[in-house]
Amino acid sequence: MTMPHPVPDDLRLLPGPDHILYRLPTRISPYQADLELLILEWADRYGVVDSPRARQRLADTHLGELIARCYPHLRAERLAPLAGWFTWAFVIDDLYDGCESAEAIGHTRTTLRTLAAFSLRSGEPPSARDVPPLTVELAEVWRALVVQQSPQWQLRFITHMGQFLDAFYYEAVNREHRHVPSLGCYTQLRRASGGITPSLDLLEFAAGLEVPSLVHESEQLRTMANKAADVVVWVNDVLSLKKELVIGEVTNGVLAVSRELCCGIQDAIDHVYRRVARDIRAFLRAEESLTTLCGSWHGLRPADRVAISAFIDGMKAWMRGNLDWALNSHRYSEVDTLRLTHNAALLDPRSGLHPSPTTTATEQAREPR
């Protein structure tokens, strides 16, 4: 079995001051405060956090800031579905932390079955009486998305959602066997497990502007989307490293690099940031090529060009905004084992699993009286 490396206290977790990541524009939507309130409203409505302390942890995560930084063209009437999706995504991510592979595969299959049951029915809600809260929340979000987006967008989003959920199983297998994956396997897994691909899809929903499907599948734009996704998740791996090792997570890019290159943790972090710089430069080269392509693409309407430009802006905002948000969020700065929920019944009511009495009692003891 492969064991994770110990982490020194003096690690340099941020890119150097001259890193190209800092040259990307930084922006923030005026709706941050509204988003923070909406996120807590979603959590309260569906009861998806375990305790007042976990609810405060959700507030301290500043998810509203993440959305405000990463969706520069966000429209006011589209705040609620976006806040609902991110609440769902962060809660389900915490729920899977610590899952063994048998649990994870059961939960994944349950969620995928439910997703498939309602996703292509024009937003019809699930009909089963025992649909768990997280799936009901996701269905409500989907109903808001489906009336706005084209069938092509819907199919792409569903595919990315399925990959996101499926990745939890592979992470659980790695965790169960204390196995740090090879760099090649990890690179493919991480785009899915980070939830960044559906997050990039939501750029179009947030702005109310869809990229024409042929342009979206062009070599240039697919390269840009992949590079933007990689920048986000690899930077996230560095910033979340200490926390992930505390909770026993081994599917982390820094550890994969350290294992593959037989180097120390700081050298692996430096390698990751060199990779991130290469990815950003590849993104910018692809952007230049896409601009040339679109310049000679007859039939593109002015609205199509605005949509393409907004999508590119959004991908840049994600690369830079993810870093800026992480510096302000308690999600990674506070290294502890507190999760938003341990309640597996939120995902599968037949599991019979709820927060353990020991965990609940410990959290209650820490609550202010």
Side-chain angles (χ1 to χ4, degrees), residues 171-203:
E171 289 192 334
V173 170
N174 290 336
R175 195 159 46 239
E176 181 183 21
H177 296 282
R178 309 299 300 165
H179 172 69
V180 177
S182 69
L183 198 52
C185 291
Y186 179 76
T187 300
Q188 299 304 312
L189 173 63
R190 188 62 176 108
R191 287 177 192 161
S193 69
I196 184 58
T197 47
S199 296
L200 295 182
D201 293 333
L202 287 168
L203 285 166

Side-chain angles (χ1 to χ4, degrees), residues 25-226:
T26 179
R27 301 170 63 178
I28 190 160
S29 163
Y31 302 120
Q32 179 182 347
D34 299 308
L35 288 162
E36 301 289 8
L37 291 175
L38 284 167
I39 286 158
L40 294 177
E41 287 177 12
W42 279 95
D44 293 340
R45 187 188 319 166
Y46 289 101
V48 295
V49 294
D50 285 350
S51 66
R53 183 168 173 250
R55 186 181 187 276
Q56 185 59 50
R57 183 59 175 265
L58 177 61
D60 291 341
T61 298
H62 300 306
L63 269 184
E65 180 184 343
L66 177 65
I67 299 169
R69 288 188 179 279
C70 296
Y71 294 87
H73 299 280
L74 176 58
R75 291 164 55 168
E77 70 273 16
R78 302 197 172 193
L79 299 180
L82 214 58
W85 188 85
F86 274 91
T87 305
W88 174 88
F90 272 65
V91 169
I92 203 170
D93 184 68
D94 273 16
L95 182 58
Y96 275 110
D97 278 345
C99 273
E100 299 297 342
S101 59
E103 287 181 284
I105 195 170
H107 296 166
T108 299
R109 286 174 175 170
T110 297
T111 307
L112 287 175
R113 282 197 302 268
T114 307
L115 180 64
F118 72 78
S119 58
L120 292 178
R121 294 181 183 175
S122 300
E124 292 180 16
S127 59
R129 294 181 179 178
D130 63 345
V131 175
L134 279 173
T135 302
V136 178
E137 180 185 2
L138 181 60
E140 183 177 343
V141 170
W142 177 255
R143 290 196 296 275
L145 300 179
V146 75
V147 297
Q148 304 289 346
Q149 303 304 120
S150 69
Q152 295 94 326
W153 184 95
Q154 294 174 39
L155 289 169
R156 186 168 67 245
F157 185 75
I158 292 165
T159 297
H160 291 154
M161 285 288 291
Q163 293 167 350
F164 173 51
L165 293 165
D166 203 32
F168 286 120
Y169 164 68
Y170 295 101
E171 289 192 334
V173 170
N174 290 336
R175 195 159 46 239
E176 181 183 21
H177 296 282
R178 309 299 300 165
H179 172 69
V180 177
S182 69
L183 198 52
C185 291
Y186 179 76
T187 300
Q188 299 304 312
L189 173 63
R190 188 62 176 108
R191 287 177 192 161
S193 69
I196 184 58
T197 47
S199 296
L200 295 182
D201 293 333
L202 287 168
L203 285 166
E204 293 167 280
F205 168 78
L209 299 165
E210 276 197 36
V211 175
S213 59
L214 285 178
V215 177
H216 202 290
E217 294 307 309
S218 67
E219 179 180 349
Q220 291 88 345
L221 198 142
R222 295 317 309 152
T223 295
M224 294 168 71
N226 286 337

